[in-house]
Amino acid sequence: MSTLEGRADEALRRIGVHLDDPADGTLVARTPITGEEIGRLRPSTADEVDAALTSAHKAFQSWRSVPAPVRGGVVRQLGILLTQHKDDLAELVTLEAGKIPSEALGEVQEMIDICEFAVGLSRQLYGKTMASERPGHRLMETWHPLGVVGVISAFNFPVAVWSWNTAIALVCGDTVVWKPSEATPLTAIACDALLKRACIDVGADPEIHQLIQGPAAVGEQLVSDSRVALLSATGSVRMGRTVAPVVAARFGRVLLELGGNNGAIVAPSADLDLAVRGIVFSAAGTAGQRCTSLRRVIVHESIADELVRRIADAYGQLEVGDPFDDGVLVGPLINEASFTAMATAIDKARADGGEVVCGGDRVGDGESYYASPAIVRMPEQTSVVRDETFAPILYVLTYSTFDEAIELHNAVPQGLSSAIFTTDQREAESFLGPEGSDCGIANVNIGTSGAEIGGAFGGEKETGGGRESGSDAWQTYMRRATNTVNYSDQLPLAQGVDFG
């Protein structure tokens, strides 16, 4: 057993998972840190996926009738267990996703935060009472559990996105069937084990959560099954184009979190010290593999040279390497395909007249893929800039007028996260207004990544339009009923209709 495989095994054991090594295990967990195998599992069969859906659907029949504050008790206990095993789960996140420990710990903290949010929410699933036009009548809305929620998550946030969906879905009275990324099966096993333990601790039915693992075919079965009332899928735009029509054809609900070609405008009045810090973390953090990673900087021509110089200087201080090593801030890309996509994008940018200021080179060799974060100055927003490359490439464009900056910013098909760095209040308010950023997230003097759980998370256009986490995102996981109660002895009709 290798050192990293041993670390994964020990972290799982501390959580309470004893991973077998089945002879027919074709689902291989590999760490992007070295490329080596750290676990082997047997993927779910079609019959097992069907059984998981059957169990989740059956569990829903009773779970939906459990009072919401009682349902919140499961999520409260999950938060307690996550707190106890924060270091263990974060270690698995680093091993499978390649995040530096600080980011991995932050992801688990995000899980704890959403549990706290959901527990409070379990006592706040409010409906409305409206004024009725008919005397002796009351008009109101009530919210009810929806059904089975299918969750398909991506490698880059292997546990946080699951928790956003699961914590909210459970307090709303739904049950969950989760299909994680093939790249992160061990973190998924750990999360499932902790949630099942939480259920047992508080006397709830562990069948309210089901874990299925394997290739795309496993997820396709989840997408097409009519027992899945809501499908929440995180991934590429291409995946969304495949998933959405299938769910729509069976009149299911879909919550999509897809690509994010995020941009930041840097105005002449910007605090450049602040802007550089925000840009560097947003662009290079998680090796550029966040859906909210900064891909485009749109900077005023009067300060472009200075800003690029400062970012390049900061990039020169970023240590790329094994995320477990002290001082490392940029870990590995998830696999060879990611590095190939990065190299291809940089070559295309050069062909389009782009100038590579720094970075873009492979760091090290072997079966792991590390890359130095790249800065590329572009003469215009060509197709390679409009397409999202899931890697640490930062394209820099210039503008002369604020209207031009907004036009450049919005001229991409994605619409997840955005930012402006300015001390001009008019520019800041205009960016947040209806003629400003067309994204689901718009920030002022802060980068595009690092969203808090209190706000609804999601984007517009090809990002899919879904909303997860805070605010009123819970309504996605429930169905609304409009109720009219007649407490009089008359039967007046609405709109003054007289039926004799």
Side-chain angles (χ1 to χ4, degrees), residues 174-243:
D174 304 323
T175 55
V176 175
V177 180
W178 179 27
K179 193 277 181 192
S181 167
E182 289 177 75
T184 57
L186 303 185
T187 52
I189 290 174
C191 290
D192 180 63
L194 290 172
L195 179 51
K196 282 185 163 45
R197 191 192 309 172
C199 289
I200 293 169
D201 288 346
V202 301
D205 183 2
E207 297 299 302
I208 60 177
H209 186 265
Q210 303 288 325
L211 173 65
I212 56 177
Q213 301 236 43
V218 173
E220 290 167 5
Q221 194 173 343
L222 192 63
V223 170
S224 61
D225 198 295
S226 61
R227 289 171 293 184
V228 177
L230 168 68
L231 183 83
S232 176
T234 302
S236 66
V237 173
R238 182 177 60 181
M239 181 205 71
R241 293 190 192 281
T242 301
V243 165

Side-chain angles (χ1 to χ4, degrees), residues 3-325:
T3 301
L4 293 182
E5 184 179 5
R7 292 182 73 157
D9 188 63
E10 282 302 311
L12 286 169
R13 287 181 182 277
R14 288 192 296 268
I15 288 171
V17 175
H18 299 278
L19 188 65
D20 294 327
D21 188 10
D24 59 347
T26 57
L27 180 57
V28 178
R30 293 190 180 277
T31 176
I33 297 173
T34 60
E36 67 189 271
E37 180 180 323
I38 57 172
R40 184 177 290 265
L41 301 88
R42 185 177 59 78
S44 303
T45 65
D47 287 344
E48 288 170 338
V49 174
D50 181 71
L53 286 163
T54 299
S55 295
H57 184 69
K58 182 180 178 182
F60 172 70
Q61 307 307 312
S62 55
W63 183 244
R64 63 184 174 183
S65 299
V66 174
V70 178
R71 297 193 297 250
V74 172
V75 178
R76 179 188 297 108
Q77 184 62 18
L78 174 61
I80 292 170
L81 294 175
L82 287 171
T83 301
Q84 294 173 355
H85 293 282
K86 183 176 179 179
D87 291 342
D88 299 325
L89 191 52
E91 177 133 323
L92 291 171
V93 170
T94 294
L95 286 166
E96 286 199 301
K99 292 187 176 182
I100 63 173
S102 176
E103 289 189 79
L105 287 165
E107 182 170 352
V108 181
Q109 184 60 48
E110 195 167 351
M111 301 174 77
I112 297 167
D113 293 345
I114 197 65
C115 286
E116 292 179 353
F117 179 90
V119 171
L121 179 65
S122 69
R123 294 181 181 271
Q124 300 179 75
L125 301 175
Y126 297 139
K128 295 179 179 178
T129 299
M130 291 79 74
S132 173
E133 66 186 62
R134 291 170 283 186
H137 285 61
R138 178 161 57 89
L139 188 61
M140 64 181 183
E141 291 178 344
T142 51
W143 292 87
H144 303 292
L146 186 61
V148 177
V149 174
V151 178
I152 297 176
S153 58
F155 80 88
N156 58 329
F157 279 88
V159 293
V161 171
W162 166 78
S163 69
W164 293 353
N165 284 276
T166 301
I168 302 297
L170 291 181
V171 300
C172 288
D174 304 323
T175 55
V176 175
V177 180
W178 179 27
K179 193 277 181 192
S181 167
E182 289 177 75
T184 57
L186 303 185
T187 52
I189 290 174
C191 290
D192 180 63
L194 290 172
L195 179 51
K196 282 185 163 45
R197 191 192 309 172
C199 289
I200 293 169
D201 288 346
V202 301
D205 183 2
E207 297 299 302
I208 60 177
H209 186 265
Q210 303 288 325
L211 173 65
I212 56 177
Q213 301 236 43
V218 173
E220 290 167 5
Q221 194 173 343
L222 192 63
V223 170
S224 61
D225 198 295
S226 61
R227 289 171 293 184
V228 177
L230 168 68
L231 183 83
S232 176
T234 302
S236 66
V237 173
R238 182 177 60 181
M239 181 205 71
R241 293 190 192 281
T242 301
V243 165
V246 175
V247 179
R250 60 176 180 80
F251 297 100
R253 294 192 193 180
V254 67
L255 191 166
L256 296 176
E257 297 288 359
L258 307 176
N261 194 357
N262 312 295
I265 295 172
V266 184
S269 67
D271 178 338
L272 289 189
D273 290 336
L274 187 71
V276 168
R277 291 199 300 272
I279 288 168
V280 170
F281 172 70
S282 293
T286 323
Q289 296 174 115
R290 292 180 178 227
C291 52
T292 55
S293 288
L294 182 60
R295 315 268 179 218
R296 299 174 298 134
V297 165
I298 301 161
V299 55
H300 192 270
E301 57 193 11
S302 66
I303 59 170
D305 291 344
E306 182 180 1
L307 180 68
V308 170
R309 177 185 59 77
R310 288 196 185 196
I311 298 171
D313 287 346
Y315 272 22
Q317 300 173 48
L318 297 178
E319 187 171 344
V320 180
D322 185 330
F324 284 119
D325 289 348

Side-chain angles (χ1 to χ4, degrees), residues 341-418:
M342 180 178 180
T344 300
I346 291 175
D347 286 344
K348 188 172 182 182
R350 282 196 178 100
D352 289 344
E355 173 197 353
V356 178
V357 177
C358 65
D361 301 315
R362 186 178 178 188
V363 178
D365 53 21
E367 297 182 16
S368 56
Y369 289 85
Y370 296 81
S372 55
I375 302 171
V376 185
R377 294 192 71 161
M378 298 295 295
E380 59 182 331
Q381 195 155 254
T382 61
S383 61
V384 71
V385 182
R386 290 192 295 271
D387 292 336
E388 180 188 32
T389 301
F390 221 57
I393 305 176
L394 182 64
Y395 299 107
V396 179
L397 302 116
T398 59
Y399 74 93
S400 58
T401 68
F402 185 71
D403 287 344
E404 181 187 358
I406 294 294
E407 184 178 357
L408 273 171
H409 179 274
N410 293 348
V412 295
Q414 310 86 355
L416 178 53
S417 188
S418 60

